[in-house]
Amino acid sequence: MRGHVLILMNIAKTLTRYVLASYNVRNYPSLFSSFNSHILRRHTLPTHTHTPFASMPSSTTIKLNSGHEMPLVGFGLWKVNNDTCADQVYNAIKAGYRCFDGACDYGNEVESGQGVARAIKDGLVKRSDLFLVSKLWNSFHDGPRVEPICKKQLKDWGLDYFDLYIMHFPIALKYVDPEVRYPPGFTDENGNVTPSKASIQETWTAMEKLVEGGLCRSIGVSNFRGVLLMDLLRYAKIRPATLQIEHHPYLMQEGLVKYAQDEGIAVTAYSSFGPQSFLELDMQQAKDAALLLDHPDVKKIADKHGKTAAQVLLRWATQRNVAVIPKSNNKDRLAQNLDVLGFDLQDEDMKAIKAIDRGLRFNDPLNYGVPLPIYV
């Protein structure tokens, strides 16, 4: 019997080497997770046998569990002004961006679509070259509300389908008619924060129908914690393709990232520069935190590699197969933010950045004065 076990272990090791040699494991999380769960968990491998970050190969996309490819670096549309949005999207496409992360709540989907339409008209790209993302807002979680609002958002963008449609928050609020106020924000027509009775399961089931109806190619979630993700996976007929979370060296959420990736769910980071994104919102928590772009350890690593601090922060994520969605109005920074896959941080760099973690979250409804304690 012992001889049989040793033979099986040798076969497992051989297969592991074959998988690692034949694939970019980070691009096939579901494949590796399945292989891992059925074979490798029976024989725990020592941590030193894992491939170090610095030697992992780079790729420009992540293979989603839906079968579609998502760029590792995209352009985030949060806080992009309406009067400049169309031009910013157009210029970003011209600079090489192919993924754009939008949302109902950002209030600029019409202008985003105009930038895309102009780029397609001018022959810069085809629709199939782009990966366009939008999100379901809290006020439309009731099952019958999901498809109509998705269709409205598609019309605003001038699209037939979204590549990815995300549940923005695990929060269900009272419906607000778009004719009354759009985007609705956190309050109802009377200015109150009023919950809806829709469960996450009800909302997710309605989102699955969007995929079945061809309105979305993939669906995902955002701002979920591990326990909600675990619950969702119990009943989901279509597994979430992505998890979008606040993720930067002040808030690494390593356990959540690992759990999602082990389940074959791609992780996208927003607010990769930490407090920088929230200063213009006059958020006290952001004012009290030192800027990550000025952090001495980040700047030291940037100088060593001949890169900017922003590039280091973005590479720290993408090197761990976490997608990023920065934005910029500046032509040079547009190019720099996109150029974060052509170099590797060393293990000592990754460890130095890891030491910065403070568990400091900025994008919490409570920080905006909204009484929805989803992270307590």
Side-chain angles (χ1 to χ4, degrees):
M1 176 64 71
R2 183 177 179 182
H4 290 163
V5 171
L6 290 173
I7 291 171
L8 288 173
M9 289 180 68
N10 287 332
I11 292 173
K13 291 177 181 178
T14 301
L15 287 173
T16 302
R17 287 194 294 270
Y18 175 80
V19 171
L20 291 173
S22 302
Y23 296 95
N24 178 353
V25 171
R26 298 177 304 153
N27 285 348
Y28 294 86
S30 58
L31 169 66
F32 188 70
S33 177
S34 176
F35 180 79
N36 184 57
S37 63
H38 289 294
I39 297 178
L40 299 183
R41 276 182 198 166
R42 294 181 177 273
H43 307 287
T44 303
L45 299 176
T47 56
H48 68 266
T49 64
H50 293 177
T51 307
F53 287 120
S55 62
M56 285 186 174
S58 294
S59 177
T60 60
T61 64
I62 297 177
K63 180 85 166 184
L64 301 181
N65 59 32
S66 59
H68 300 285
E69 299 273 352
M70 181 179 75
L72 259 175
V73 182
F75 188 94
L77 294 164
W78 181 44
K79 297 193 282 96
V80 174
N81 294 335
N82 295 77
D83 58 346
T84 63
C85 184
D87 287 339
Q88 284 187 251
V89 169
Y90 181 87
N91 290 331
I93 291 174
K94 202 170 183 179
Y97 287 83
R98 296 295 179 262
C99 175
F100 292 85
D101 182 83
C104 157
D105 190 54
Y106 302 166
N108 55 15
E109 293 195 289
V110 170
E111 294 80 4
S112 298
Q114 290 170 351
V116 167
R118 180 160 35 120
I120 293 175
K121 181 180 178 182
D122 289 353
L124 299 182
V125 289
K126 297 180 292 186
R127 169 63 183 94
S128 58
D129 296 329
L130 300 173
F131 191 94
L132 303 178
V133 184
S134 191
K135 303 181 187 74
L136 175 74
W137 184 244
N138 310 329
S139 309
F140 308 106
H141 275 219
D142 294 341
R145 306 292 186 186
V146 173
E147 183 176 323
I149 197 62
C150 179
K151 286 182 174 179
K152 171 183 167 40
Q153 291 175 261
L154 285 169
K155 183 179 179 181
D156 286 348
W157 274 87
L159 301 175
D160 296 322
Y161 67 91
F162 287 122
D163 293 278
L164 175 64
Y165 195 60
I166 296 173
M167 189 186 304
H168 204 146
F169 279 97
I171 298 171
L173 297 178
K174 182 182 177 182
Y175 174 70
V176 176
D177 192 322
E179 296 295 326
V180 173
R181 187 176 72 244
Y182 190 85
F186 280 98
T187 59
D188 60 22
E189 64 275 12
N190 297 315
N192 300 316
V193 179
T194 307
S196 157
K197 293 185 178 180
S199 65
I200 291 175
Q201 183 172 4
E202 177 183 341
T203 306
W204 187 254
T205 299
M207 291 178 67
E208 290 175 327
K209 292 178 181 177
L210 300 178
V211 177
E212 294 165 359
L215 299 178
C216 308
R217 292 190 168 179
S218 303
I219 49 177
V221 294
S222 181
N223 299 305
F224 270 47
R225 303 195 81 172
V227 65
L228 290 180
L229 203 55
M230 291 173 67
D231 187 59
L232 173 58
L233 292 175
R234 288 173 49 244
Y235 53 76
K237 294 179 181 177
I238 299 177
R239 291 168 69 86
T242 66
L243 168 67
Q244 189 174 123
I245 55 172
E246 180 180 348
H247 182 68
H248 45 74
Y250 280 156
L251 183 68
M252 295 189 181
Q253 305 195 77
E254 285 188 299
L256 179 57
V257 171
K258 183 180 185 303
Y259 173 67
Q261 291 180 337
D262 284 350
E263 288 292 339
I265 301 169
V267 178
T268 298
Y270 67 77
S271 300
S272 295
F273 305 141
Q276 186 78 28
S277 301
F278 301 90
L279 287 175
E280 63 190 82
L281 302 178
D282 202 34
M283 183 180 289
Q284 191 59 48
Q285 290 84 350
K287 294 178 181 179
D288 293 340
L291 293 179
L292 282 171
L293 294 173
D294 293 334
H295 194 284
D297 289 339
V298 175
K299 293 176 72 174
K300 180 180 178 181
I301 295 169
D303 290 341
K304 181 172 76 172
H305 291 275
K307 300 293 181 179
T308 67
Q311 286 176 306
V312 167
L313 292 173
L314 295 174
R315 184 57 180 143
W316 168 77
T318 60
Q319 193 160 313
R320 294 158 49 249
N321 213 34
V322 174
V324 292
I325 45 174
K327 67 176 174 66
S328 178
N329 295 325
N330 182 279
K331 183 178 179 181
D332 291 336
R333 284 197 294 272
L334 267 179
Q336 290 169 359
N337 289 346
L338 194 59
D339 181 26
V340 292
L341 302 175
F343 69 100
D344 285 325
L345 301 179
Q346 298 171 346
D347 284 345
E348 61 190 41
D349 303 329
M350 302 298 280
K351 289 176 182 177
I353 295 174
K354 183 177 180 179
I356 300 173
D357 193 7
R358 293 167 50 186
L360 182 56
R361 186 187 304 277
F362 300 103
N363 194 36
D364 185 333
L366 296 179
N367 290 346
Y368 303 108
V370 178
L372 294 169
I374 62 174
Y375 293 118
V376 297

